[in-house]
Amino acid sequence: MSLGIKPKVRKTPYNYNKAFGKLAIVALVLASLASSNAQTICNMSGEGLMACKPAVSPPNPAPPSAACCSALSHADMHCLCSYRNSKLLPSMGIDPNLALQLPKKCKFPNAAHC
């Protein structure tokens, strides 16, 4: 028996599913960076990514270490370029512009031009 009363549905302008999806992606990337046995991203291991983090973190980035340059030499540069305009990098404390300078700072002869 229905009394003709409809429950109120709260409408919000915020899309929680979309926000959860973004949060899940950030959590997965951070988890992979935190583990030295993490899966690779663009042919760079989590350990290699962490080796490069001081060189791509503002305000005073360090010169890239030998471990960073070694990891970067095995990376898929075109894949890494796909993260250039991602909001993910700044959320992890990585400056995309500094990241794009790494191949030159590592003195790679044929750096990818994003």
Side-chain angles (χ1 to χ4, degrees):
M1 181 170 146
S2 174
L3 299 175
I5 300 174
K6 293 183 182 179
K8 286 187 177 181
V9 177
R10 183 177 177 194
K11 294 181 182 179
T12 61
Y14 193 73
N15 186 337
Y16 289 100
N17 289 334
K18 189 174 182 181
F20 180 75
K22 287 181 182 179
L23 180 62
I25 290 170
V26 170
L28 286 172
V29 171
L30 289 176
S32 71
L33 289 176
S35 170
S36 63
N37 295 324
Q39 292 182 352
T40 62
I41 297 175
C42 300
N43 294 337
M44 283 187 74
S45 68
E47 189 176 298
L49 291 166
M50 291 306 291
C52 290
K53 188 153 188 217
V56 295
S57 300
N60 299 313
S65 66
C68 170
C69 292
S70 175
L72 193 61
S73 71
H74 297 80
D76 178 342
M77 293 298 183
H78 294 289
C79 174
L80 290 173
C81 285
S82 71
Y83 288 94
R84 180 180 71 181
N85 296 320
S86 169
K87 293 180 182 178
L88 181 63
L89 296 179
S91 73
M92 295 169 30
I94 296 171
D95 181 329
N97 293 320
L98 292 173
L100 290 173
Q101 295 171 17
L102 279 181
K104 183 177 179 183
K105 288 181 179 180
C106 287
K107 299 182 174 127
F108 292 166
N110 298 318
H113 299 286
C114 298

